Amino acid sequence: MSEPKIVDDIVIFGEPDADTLAQVKRCAAPEETFGAVLCADSHKGYSMPIGGVVAYRGLTSPSGVGFDIGCGNKAVRTNLKVDDVRDDLPALMDEIFDNISFGIGRKNPRPIDHEVFDDERWNVHPGVAALKKLARQQLGTVGAGNHYVNLMEDMSTGDLWVAVHFGSRGFGHKTASGFLNLAAGRPFDARLPGESMDSPPVLLRLESELGRAYHEAMQLAGAYAYAGRDVVVDQVLSILGAEATFSVHNHHNFAWEEEHGGEKVIVVRKGATPSHPGQLSFVGGSMGDISVVIRGKDNDTAKKALYSTMHGAGRVMSRTRAAGKWKRVRGKRVRVGGEVNMDEVHQQLKRLGIELRGGGPDEAPAVYRRLQQVLDAHASTIDVLHVLKPVGVAMAGIDEYDPYKD
């Protein structure tokens, strides 16, 4: 069982590349830093690496949480076995793909009312209040990129599971952009300038007016993300004619107020999952790999890791390298020059018995690590309770342009 390394007081699982390590060091440089972690699925992100964790005394970080505030997973075990629906899988996946809205900026054709819209935190800032209409329109939509709706089979019991991965949609993205603007002295709704992946962290004092407003808006976006995942899972259960018998639900882009080493700190996790002793989490692999339900352990290694763990398998190939560059051909935006052949991906998934709807080369199995490799690196801090393999995967289509940052 491998143990993490300690480099410059940063707890490191796996073997991060130099750019990823440089990013987390930059985020952990302020004197208010309590501790920092890199998970084994880490890779370079905007300002702070995906798979990065930094705990601050009295500071929160809009750049650390990132643009998809509250991105996370919900997974439920149903009262069905996969064998109950195996013959109907193609039709069920068609219905899921046709009835749930995937893609960037798409609106739910049937806007849903929800108690989250009664939350007082919509009034935390006029810029946030102005986003309420957009949030109503997009509740129950999934988005693009690596966001998905999966049907999965428990490899031990044959139980049918439903798993979803997405966050706070356009509301969260515009909220993050708004507070990054305010922190730089620009209006909330100004167009963000071109941001460098190597931008220094944006840090706000939690007791300041701006810091508290961001923290409350972030919590609202997190509640909105939870509501969206609840809605989509319920839609899928309705399509299946199934009921949930067990549920696990977690964020992995968020800032939590926690106590570590007897101190109250703000733990900023970007693409990293809280894994406190006994806490359950769902961690997804690529469209052709396993996913797992895990439980946090209580030991010295877990404490050093700020009770944090991976959120997925971790990207090893950029979207551009996998899918090609966006170019305009005959008036349409298309990807050209990518390394991944989708015909081969479809053949691979067919051999594995996986029904794919949508998806593109930037989400092919080859662009991610194998999840087991990441789990092995974190084995001292987690127990794996359920191993799930995909039987149906629905994602945004290959032609969807994704302007959102991680």
Side-chain angles (χ1 to χ4, degrees), residues 2 29 61 96 128 134 162 187 296 361 368:
S2 62
S61 178
I96 288 169
V128 173
L134 171 68
V162 176
Y368 288 96

Side-chain angles (χ1 to χ4, degrees), residues 335-395:
R335 295 267 202 179
V336 296
E339 295 184 17
V340 174
N341 184 316
M342 278 305 290
D343 288 338
E344 294 177 359
V345 172
H346 285 291
Q347 292 170 13
Q348 175 189 5
L349 297 182
K350 186 175 182 179
R351 289 193 298 270
L352 293 171
I354 299 169
E355 290 282 338
L356 175 65
R357 298 295 180 271
D362 55 337
E363 289 300 322
V367 310
Y368 288 96
R369 297 179 180 90
R370 300 294 292 182
L371 183 59
Q372 189 61 56
Q373 171 190 346
V374 181
L375 292 169
D376 289 345
H378 286 268
S380 61
T381 64
I382 58 171
D383 290 315
V384 177
L385 304 184
H386 300 278
V387 180
L388 313 174
K389 64 179 182 180
V391 294
V393 176
M395 310 180 78

Side-chain angles (χ1 to χ4, degrees), residues 237-299:
L237 290 173
S238 178
I239 289 170
L240 295 172
E243 297 178 358
T245 61
F246 173 86
S247 176
V248 56
H249 201 167
N250 55 270
H251 291 320
H252 47 238
N253 286 2
F254 209 65
W256 288 263
E257 298 178 63
E258 297 177 0
E259 185 171 313
H260 292 271
E263 291 192 55
K264 292 183 178 180
V265 294
I266 306 299
V267 183
V268 179
R269 297 183 177 94
K270 177 184 279 187
T273 307
S275 187
H276 296 275
Q279 184 174 4
L280 302 182
S281 304
F282 175 86
V283 174
S286 74
M287 64 170 69
D289 198 5
I290 61 169
S291 297
V292 293
V293 176
I294 59 174
R295 180 175 59 205
K297 293 183 179 180
D298 189 8
N299 55 39

Side-chain angles (χ1 to χ4, degrees), residues 89-345:
L89 270 174
L92 289 169
M93 291 307 300
D94 286 343
E95 190 170 355
I96 288 169
F97 192 66
D98 290 343
N99 284 277
I100 293 172
S101 184
F102 295 85
I104 288 298
R106 289 181 61 186
K107 299 172 183 177
N108 192 328
R110 298 176 298 277
I112 299 162
D113 199 15
H114 193 281
E115 62 185 12
V116 74
F117 298 116
D118 298 325
D119 196 305
E120 293 182 357
R121 289 173 293 196
W122 288 101
N123 299 315
V124 71
H125 187 277
V128 173
L131 296 173
K132 194 171 187 178
K133 180 180 178 181
L134 171 68
R136 282 188 184 276
Q137 292 170 333
Q138 289 194 331
L139 186 69
T141 66
V142 175
N146 61 352
H147 298 153
Y148 59 72
V149 175
N150 282 4
L151 300 183
M152 312 200 78
E153 180 177 10
D154 190 309
M155 295 180 67
S156 295
T157 65
D159 290 329
L160 175 66
W161 288 65
V162 176
V164 302
H165 171 224
F166 61 96
S168 50
R169 306 292 284 110
F171 166 55
H173 186 270
K174 290 179 180 293
T175 296
S177 300
F179 280 96
L180 289 171
N181 276 330
L182 294 175
R186 298 185 295 265
F188 185 96
D189 59 354
R191 184 178 181 86
L192 273 182
E195 300 285 353
S196 166
M197 294 281 278
D198 295 315
S199 295
V202 176
L203 301 169
L204 303 174
R205 296 207 170 275
L206 198 60
E207 72 265 15
S208 70
E209 183 179 351
L210 184 59
R212 178 50 60 182
Y214 168 73
H215 199 66
E216 291 188 16
M218 178 207 69
Q219 290 174 322
L220 174 62
Y224 177 80
Y226 260 75
R229 293 190 290 263
D230 286 343
V231 166
V232 171
V233 167
D234 286 348
Q235 285 181 290
V236 177
L237 290 173
S238 178
I239 289 170
L240 295 172
E243 297 178 358
T245 61
F246 173 86
S247 176
V248 56
H249 201 167
N250 55 270
H251 291 320
H252 47 238
N253 286 2
F254 209 65
W256 288 263
E257 298 178 63
E258 297 177 0
E259 185 171 313
H260 292 271
E263 291 192 55
K264 292 183 178 180
V265 294
I266 306 299
V267 183
V268 179
R269 297 183 177 94
K270 177 184 279 187
T273 307
S275 187
H276 296 275
Q279 184 174 4
L280 302 182
S281 304
F282 175 86
V283 174
S286 74
M287 64 170 69
D289 198 5
I290 61 169
S291 297
V292 293
V293 176
I294 59 174
R295 180 175 59 205
K297 293 183 179 180
D298 189 8
N299 55 39
D300 286 342
T301 303
K303 290 177 184 177
K304 291 176 184 175
L306 302 174
Y307 295 120
S308 303
T309 194
M310 85 296 285
H311 85 306
R315 182 175 289 275
V316 293
M317 186 186 299
S318 72
R319 293 188 185 280
T320 300
R321 182 179 158 198
K325 295 181 178 180
W326 285 102
K327 289 193 175 180
R328 191 164 291 280
V329 178
R330 298 187 186 94
K332 292 184 62 177
R333 291 179 60 86
V334 296
R335 295 267 202 179
V336 296
E339 295 184 17
V340 174
N341 184 316
M342 278 305 290
D343 288 338
E344 294 177 359
V345 172

